[in-house]
Amino acid sequence: MSGELSPIDKAKFVAAKKATEYVESGMRVGMGTGSTAAWLVRCLGEMVRDDGLRIKGVPTSTRTAELARNVGIEVISLDEAKWLDVTIDGADEFDGDLNLIKGGGGALLQEKIVATASDRMVVIADAGKEVDALGAFPLPIEVIPFGWQTTQALVEETLVSMDVLGRNSSLRMNGDAPFVTDEGNHILDLHLNRIGNPRQLALVLNQMPGVVENGLFIDICDSVVVGHGDGRVEVRDINAGTVEQDRLEFVETDNLFADLDD
């Protein structure tokens, strides 16, 4: 590895490392998608290799599945697992009630299915992902390609009656072509600025024809592990109402940090 990790990457790493404490041998573990979740997969892979951890991982995207296999984690499908002990994933935003915006990586549908099929969902994030109100990060919604422009127009029209500050939306692109999810769908990013009533918005969006799922995760997250660049971590449990502080020693190892492309 060349050079030191940035403070943001260090924060993501310590959050992921702390979250491995939720994982025990014999568990079926949902593994999220994105840069922070990739740290978690690497940490678990190191535990499989060095500590004899035995788990079955259910990834939320093809790229997470590929990374998990590369680090030695046994990968199975959700249908094979049927139910999960824990899902650990990142988030684009979280608020004080541990409601989330997810989907920046384009895997929100699989992420929500896996998270809701788990006894516990743990979010790992750097401190910059915490917000007073959701919505500064564009809210992704997955839509079917057929008639997506009509769906977009209906969504924008519906937003007029919602408690949001913005109503514009954009089709997510991958170069010159629309971004395509693992399920073959498109993603519309809603630029809302602030969401006053996330629960209401989530329900309304999912009632619209053409919308497959939205990136609001309401009452799904049980705990959040917040990492800081100096090694501090804070664990908040919404069910127990507890907040715990810890500090992890940051040691860069060739095994864990060999591939930082994610």
Side-chain angles (χ1 to χ4, degrees):
M1 190 182 82
S2 59
E4 284 192 3
L5 294 179
S6 68
I8 284 287
D9 278 330
K10 289 180 179 179
K12 292 177 179 180
F13 164 69
V14 295
K17 188 68 173 177
K18 180 67 176 178
T20 62
E21 295 179 9
Y22 289 95
V23 180
E24 301 175 0
S25 278
M27 281 188 169
R28 293 155 297 179
V29 181
M31 300 179 297
T33 297
S35 59
T36 311
W39 289 116
L40 182 277
V41 175
R42 291 191 181 98
C43 288
L44 291 177
E46 188 175 57
M47 294 168 67
V48 167
R49 181 178 58 248
D50 298 341
D51 303 328
L53 179 70
R54 293 292 176 263
I55 60 173
K56 297 181 187 294
V58 175
T60 55
S61 67
T62 54
R63 58 188 182 275
T64 295
E66 181 180 5
L67 176 60
R69 292 189 182 100
N70 287 343
V71 299
I73 297 173
E74 181 183 353
V75 171
I76 63 173
S77 70
L78 182 58
D79 286 334
E80 290 174 295
K82 294 185 171 58
W83 194 259
L84 305 177
D85 297 286
V86 63
T87 288
I88 305 176
D89 201 351
D92 298 303
E93 285 185 346
F94 69 92
D95 65 15
D97 294 322
L98 303 195
N99 294 318
L100 320 170
I101 284 182
K102 287 181 53 56
L108 66 97
L109 177 57
Q110 288 192 20
E111 288 173 336
K112 189 174 282 190
I113 292 171
V114 169
T116 53
S118 306
D119 287 337
R120 172 183 291 270
M121 184 197 186
V122 178
V123 161
I124 48 179
D126 61 87
K129 301 297 175 61
E130 182 173 11
V131 296
D132 292 330
L134 299 176
F137 190 91
L139 173 66
I141 60 173
E142 186 159 339
V143 300
I144 64 170
F146 175 80
W148 72 264
Q149 290 176 309
T150 299
T151 302
Q152 181 182 32
L154 289 171
V155 167
E156 291 184 350
E157 181 180 349
T158 300
L159 290 174
V160 173
S161 61
M162 296 289 100
D163 185 6
V164 296
L165 292 183
R167 296 194 298 273
N168 293 328
S169 66
S170 58
L171 179 69
R172 187 176 299 184
M173 303 296 290
N174 182 16
D176 295 331
F179 176 87
V180 178
T181 69
D182 280 355
E183 289 73 35
N185 296 318
H186 295 335
I187 286 184
L188 295 176
D189 289 307
L190 310 186
H191 305 278
L192 308 178
N193 301 317
R194 182 183 181 278
I195 302 171
N197 191 334
R199 186 184 307 276
Q200 179 192 44
L201 181 61
L203 291 172
V204 169
L205 287 172
N206 277 12
Q207 290 175 346
M208 303 190 66
V211 175
V212 180
E213 188 53 82
N214 69 83
L216 286 166
F217 283 50
I218 310 298
D219 297 334
I220 295 175
C221 176
D222 297 287
S223 304
V224 62
V225 182
V226 184
H228 299 264
D230 61 359
R232 289 180 296 120
V233 288
E234 181 178 276
V235 181
R236 306 180 197 173
D237 188 310
I238 194 70
N239 300 312
T242 57
V243 178
E244 299 177 3
Q245 307 284 342
D246 196 3
R247 181 183 292 272
L248 301 184
E249 293 298 324
F250 186 86
V251 179
E252 296 182 3
T253 67
D254 290 338
N255 286 344
L256 193 56
F257 303 106
D259 178 10
L260 298 179
D261 292 339
D262 241 40

